[in-house]
Amino acid sequence: TDQAGFDQLALELFHFQYEQNPVYREYVNALQIVGADVKRVEDIPYLPIQFFKTRDVRTTVFEPEAVFMSSGTTQTINSRHSVKSLALYRESFLFAFEQFYGPVNEWCIIGLLPSYLERSNSSLVVMADDLVRRSGHPDSGFYLYEHEKLAQVLQSLEARQQKTLLIGVTFGLLDFAEQFPMPLRHTIIMETGGMKGRREEITRQEVHDILKTAFGLSSIHSEYGMTELLSQGYSKGEGIFHTPAWMQIRVRQEDDPLDVRLSGTGIINVIDLANIYSCCFIATEDVGRVYEDGSFEVQGRVDNSDIRGCSLMVAGL
């Protein structure tokens, strides 16, 4: 849709969620914003993502078809996203995937998602599993830790010049690159983040450099998604992400969470219009830069102690 159409839909969804989502309404009211007065997208408040850790963020009353949970250590409180309709999620990720990569049935899709596969409630696993099935390729599938088998499969796919997408968590891809470097001409590597203390934290740029060297690639692709959303952004290299038409990124200023801008540097806010039954307006904890054309990059995470206004709000509710 054009921007006017997007804005119109965003406003309609804001008013719907303000009416039908008790947690969001409570938050908006706590900001002393009157829901009925919000008539421009610029005035819509964004719900801090931490609410998904402590509250059930639901719009309307429903029995969730799935509950996505974030991965985390046993010490952390994980986010929970009650999903009313998995069909809506599937439609969102499939449409976006094909917008960026073309028909899924032209691909062989391989998931290297070890830690995630051990959890059935990961939105990433649901997505990858669906793409694997829809690709219909006999070699599509998941590899836990069988790096040697994965290397053989990739070599045979390369020999047949089969378009292949290897989607993996960062530590899994780095382990694999260390053991089985090989030139890849017909394979795209897409990392989805995820070090989770498995390796010393290194920057995304360093990760990409290691993978490019190991596999003779000019770029590494990335996926930007999270438990609390139903849509993803994709990067085809250089860490610059693009979003599908129903998802847009804004930036808020660290010292004033209500100062939200269309472009520039700050903390990332996401409008995800597919998130109809939870909340379409999410204030994340990712620091980044949004460009004039709506593309964006992620530069790191906010140190929680820095989110002053926001944590005070959360504490106050």
Side-chain angles (χ1 to χ4, degrees):
T1 63
D2 57 353
Q3 190 60 48
F6 181 91
D7 289 358
Q8 178 62 38
L9 195 51
L11 277 168
E12 284 173 25
L13 282 165
F14 164 74
H15 290 293
F16 171 63
Q17 293 183 335
Y18 179 76
E19 291 297 322
Q20 302 286 339
N21 184 326
V23 174
Y24 187 44
R25 183 169 59 247
E26 209 179 306
Y27 178 69
V28 174
N29 291 347
L31 293 173
Q32 295 176 333
I33 291 171
V34 178
D37 291 350
V38 175
K39 296 193 165 56
R40 305 180 317 148
V41 172
E42 295 75 34
D43 301 330
I44 294 176
Y46 291 76
L47 186 72
I49 202 161
Q50 302 99 303
F51 277 94
F52 283 86
K53 294 184 170 182
T54 55
R55 305 288 296 273
D56 196 359
V57 182
R58 283 188 212 192
T59 298
T60 71
V61 177
F62 59 87
E63 195 53 52
E65 201 176 318
V67 177
F68 291 154
M69 291 189 69
S70 60
S71 57
T73 58
T74 43
Q75 290 81 37
T76 57
I77 305 172
N78 295 344
S79 286
R80 296 170 58 87
H81 181 181
S82 297
V83 179
K84 180 177 180 180
S85 157
L86 279 173
L88 181 64
Y89 178 51
R90 290 200 178 98
E91 194 180 346
S92 172
F93 70 65
L94 186 65
F95 206 85
F97 179 86
E98 295 199 328
Q99 181 182 325
F100 290 103
Y101 293 100
V104 66
N105 61 11
E106 292 176 2
W107 292 87
C108 174
I109 294 189
I110 294 176
L112 183 61
L113 304 166
S115 59
Y116 289 79
L117 281 182
E118 291 148 11
R119 304 183 299 119
S120 58
N121 50 12
S122 151
S123 55
L124 179 61
V125 169
V126 170
M127 175 171 104
D129 184 53
D130 200 66
L131 293 174
V132 161
R133 280 187 300 113
R134 285 174 192 269
S135 76
H137 193 284
D139 289 323
S140 288
F142 288 102
Y143 291 81
L144 259 161
Y145 299 100
E146 315 103 312
H147 290 169
E148 196 168 340
K149 185 175 159 200
L150 175 58
Q152 288 164 357
V153 168
L154 283 176
Q155 279 161 345
S156 101
L157 290 165
E158 283 284 326
R160 286 174 279 155
Q161 302 190 357
Q162 166 63 47
K163 272 200 328 188
T164 301
L165 177 69
L166 172 59
I167 180 167
V169 287
T170 308
F171 71 83
L173 290 171
L174 289 172
D175 289 348
F176 180 64
E178 229 165 69
Q179 296 173 306
F180 295 99
M182 63 175 89
L184 296 175
R185 300 273 169 275
H186 306 281
T187 302
I188 283 176
I189 290 185
M190 181 185 288
E191 56 92 10
T192 65
M195 297 293 272
K196 296 284 182 271
R198 296 291 291 266
R199 278 168 166 261
E200 190 186 339
E201 289 287 341
I202 56 176
T203 67
R204 174 172 253 152
Q205 185 60 58
E206 291 170 304
V207 169
H208 287 200
D209 289 343
I210 292 167
L211 296 176
K212 286 196 283 201
T213 304
F215 301 113
L217 293 165
S218 59
S219 64
I220 300 296
H221 293 218
S222 309
E223 182 252 5
Y224 180 80
M226 49 187 76
T227 300
E228 301 83 359
L229 300 176
L230 287 187
S231 303
Q232 297 77 23
Y234 289 104
S235 163
K236 295 191 173 187
E238 307 306 321
I240 305 289
F241 290 92
H242 296 268
T243 56
W246 58 92
M247 177 185 187
Q248 290 185 5
I249 306 297
R250 305 278 195 267
V251 288
R252 71 181 186 273
Q253 303 314 298
E254 196 174 332
D255 52 1
D256 178 4
L258 298 183
D259 179 357
V260 178
R261 303 176 189 182
L262 283 170
S263 61
T265 310
I267 309 172
I268 288 176
N269 281 1
V270 179
I271 303 179
D272 177 8
L273 299 183
N275 238 1
I276 300 168
Y277 297 105
S278 55
C279 185
C280 295
F281 311 97
I282 303 289
T284 77
E285 295 177 349
D286 291 327
V287 176
R289 168 186 287 270
V290 180
Y291 294 96
E292 300 286 326
D293 66 353
S295 65
F296 68 103
E297 59 182 315
V298 182
Q299 292 158 337
R301 304 271 297 178
V302 175
D303 170 13
N304 266 332
S305 58
D306 289 348
I307 313 189
R308 288 177 289 276
C310 186
S311 38
L312 290 172
M313 288 292 323
V314 175
L317 286 188

